[in-house]
Amino acid sequence: MSRDFGSIRVEKDKEKGWRLCSLSTDMKYACVGRSGLESASNFPLIANVLANPAAGEVAVPSEQKVYDVVLKQASLVKRKLGATGELDAKPDIALPGNLSLLNEAYDRCGEICAEYAKTFYLGTLLMTPERRRAVWAIYVWCRRTDELVDGPNASQITPTALDRWESRLEELFQGRPFDMLDAALADTVAKFPVDIQPFKDMIEGMRLDLKKPRYKNFDELYLYCYYVAGTVGIMSVPIMGISPNSEATTESVYNAALALGIANQLTNILRDVGEDASRGRVYLPQDELAQAGLSDEDIFAGKVTDKWRNFMKSQIKRARMFFDEAEKGVTELNEASRWPVWASLLLYRQILDEIEANDYNNFTRRAYVSKAKKFLSLPAAYARSIVPPSRKLSPVMKT
């Protein structure tokens, strides 16, 4: 799942020695661990963001902020696994008091997922009923959240409206849903070890959309991508489940899920450059644009030049690196959950191929994967989904 939702109307304990690595477009990376920054002078991206001259303090890089969330979510799942030996849902509970209404709420979530995410929806049908319904509930909440800033009424949305939406989320997590769609998610978070933080972080991403049309560097953009899409991966891991045969650390599976969300959002950004520019938004690292000899004016002009092609090649390369990292974790998921995730990953990755096929014209041409290519991707996704876990993952991102 990614932040590419479209428009709808709805009615009615840490691992020892962990290290965090920031990917730059020239394939260099910097790592942050418990011993602090390693070789920062060789990696200007991290060196720049760590210095905070205004406050006279050392700033925490985005990767570390996000990884703190990853560790917290992973610990919830590990506690669940330690108590039961497996990650299964609790028995159905009736919210808001009538099981038939709850079933109706889940069915409505499934209808929305089927309408707006057809391929993913088909994959969810292979899951157990509990996991399938939970994924639908999360998808719909994410979609509704995105609608606040990108839907038909986005021009009327204020920070206060987002504050109210967050308060409503907190009520939902306390078992007090506002409507039937909220009830489906309230039931889901009561049955699975899902924490509220990724949901609140997604709302924070919506706040950024209201006030921040530019990103100085990739560190800032990375945090934004986590807020609006990486959160979806973290929300979903407890629902998808981890294979009982997996030897991977729980943190590494979460890290791969995070990487998939980041990859999907970077792909959205590269696909939608022209559309975003029409709204005055540029979701590209300003420092990297400058290094490529480009500026916002070049983007607003919408002309494909050699400078633009070279810049796009470096951005696509980075997105593919995140997809590569994400692939390592899909095999570690519960077998019944792998196919929809593989399908999503393979289909989204092909958007980057289509941008290249369009000669990097993402100003006036929207890259999309044809129905024929989507259909051909499903057998490949299924073939990958039946490959059993066979190796131990490292809980860090590497180039």
Side-chain angles (χ1 to χ4, degrees):
M1 301 191 326
S2 68
R3 185 173 180 267
D4 186 23
F5 297 120
S7 298
I8 63 168
R9 287 188 176 88
V10 176
E11 298 177 358
K12 293 190 101 155
D13 11 293
K14 302 183 181 180
E15 292 291 321
K16 292 183 178 180
W18 59 265
R19 301 161 75 234
L20 307 171
C21 299
S22 172
L23 308 181
S24 63
T25 55
D26 60 359
M27 298 292 282
K28 295 178 181 177
Y29 64 95
C31 295
V32 179
R34 288 185 176 176
S35 60
L37 183 66
E38 301 175 12
S39 303
S41 60
N42 296 326
F43 307 103
L45 174 62
I46 291 294
N48 289 341
V49 302
L50 283 180
N52 187 351
E57 299 175 351
V58 175
V60 178
S62 295
E63 290 90 341
Q64 186 170 337
K65 294 177 183 177
V66 173
Y67 204 70
D68 286 343
V69 178
V70 168
L71 290 175
K72 180 180 179 182
Q73 307 311 303
S75 68
L76 290 174
V77 170
K78 284 197 293 186
R79 287 200 298 271
K80 173 70 174 179
L81 288 170
T84 66
E86 55 186 351
L87 190 61
D88 286 329
K90 297 176 184 177
D92 278 332
I93 60 173
L95 276 176
N98 187 304
L99 189 57
S100 65
L101 289 178
L102 184 59
N103 288 333
E104 182 182 349
Y106 274 120
D107 289 344
R108 178 57 184 144
C109 289
E111 291 170 2
I112 294 171
C113 187
E115 183 174 358
Y116 295 98
K118 295 179 176 62
T119 302
F120 184 79
Y121 171 79
L122 291 174
T124 64
L125 297 181
L126 299 174
M127 298 179 181
T128 63
E130 293 82 5
R131 295 184 194 279
R132 174 168 65 240
R133 298 196 309 171
V135 167
W136 293 344
I138 288 177
Y139 173 86
V140 169
W141 185 87
C142 292
R143 190 179 186 90
R144 297 174 85 187
T145 301
D146 180 73
E147 282 292 290
L148 296 175
V149 296
D150 279 340
N153 299 316
S155 60
Q156 303 173 27
I157 295 299
T158 65
T160 301
L162 292 177
D163 291 342
R164 288 197 296 267
W165 185 250
E166 185 168 346
S167 296
R168 178 167 159 172
L169 172 71
E170 291 169 349
E171 290 289 307
L172 181 160
F173 266 78
Q174 293 298 319
R176 296 187 291 271
F178 182 80
D179 61 15
M180 66 183 298
L181 298 181
D182 279 357
L185 184 59
D187 182 63
T188 290
V189 302
K191 291 160 61 177
F192 290 89
V194 179
D195 186 60
I196 195 173
Q197 191 60 49
F199 294 83
K200 297 180 76 168
D201 286 345
M202 176 173 276
I203 296 173
E204 185 61 28
M206 303 305 112
R207 291 190 178 99
L208 287 178
D209 274 333
L210 292 182
K211 65 183 181 182
K212 192 174 178 65
R214 301 290 187 278
Y215 291 85
K216 294 187 298 184
N217 49 46
F218 184 67
D219 188 77
E220 286 192 357
L221 186 62
Y222 175 89
L223 189 58
Y224 170 75
C225 289
Y226 158 70
Y227 282 148
V228 300
T231 49
V232 182
I234 292 177
M235 295 171 193
S236 303
V237 171
I239 312 304
M240 299 293 184
I242 299 173
S243 170
N245 298 320
S246 174
E247 295 182 357
T249 64
T250 307
E251 289 88 346
S252 68
V253 177
Y254 267 96
N255 198 60
L258 168 65
L260 179 56
I262 299 293
N264 285 347
Q265 186 59 24
L266 289 175
T267 300
N268 285 342
I269 288 171
L270 299 181
R271 179 195 60 194
D272 298 338
V273 168
E275 180 181 332
D276 289 332
S278 69
R279 295 182 292 177
R281 300 178 182 176
V282 178
Y283 293 101
L284 297 167
Q286 292 289 308
D287 60 344
E288 294 176 19
L289 279 170
Q291 290 167 12
L294 298 166
S295 65
D296 289 352
E297 286 68 30
D298 293 300
I299 294 174
F300 295 139
K303 185 177 180 180
V304 178
T305 63
D306 287 340
K307 287 182 179 179
W308 179 253
R309 292 186 184 93
N310 290 333
F311 174 77
M312 283 301 302
K313 288 176 183 177
S314 67
Q315 300 301 308
I316 289 174
K317 184 178 184 180
R318 172 190 279 145
R320 284 178 173 148
M321 289 163 64
F322 278 98
F323 276 121
D324 290 342
E325 189 66 26
E327 287 189 9
K328 298 175 184 178
V330 183
T331 302
E332 311 302 324
L333 296 176
N334 183 280
E335 184 176 359
S337 303
R338 292 177 205 152
W339 192 9
V341 180
W342 270 119
S344 174
L345 189 156
L346 295 179
L347 289 172
Y348 240 81
R349 187 165 190 156
Q350 288 183 60
I351 294 174
L352 300 174
D353 301 335
E354 297 302 323
I355 294 174
E356 293 173 332
N358 288 343
D359 192 31
Y360 304 99
N361 181 5
N362 43 6
F363 299 116
T364 60
R365 298 184 65 183
R366 183 179 174 88
Y368 70 95
V369 181
S370 67
K371 290 184 178 179
K373 289 183 178 180
K374 287 181 179 180
F375 180 78
L376 292 174
S377 295
L378 294 180
Y382 179 74
R384 294 198 183 196
S385 72
I386 62 177
V387 176
S390 59
R391 51 181 165 65
K392 193 170 184 178
L393 294 182
S394 168
V396 299
M397 294 193 64
K398 299 179 180 178
T399 55

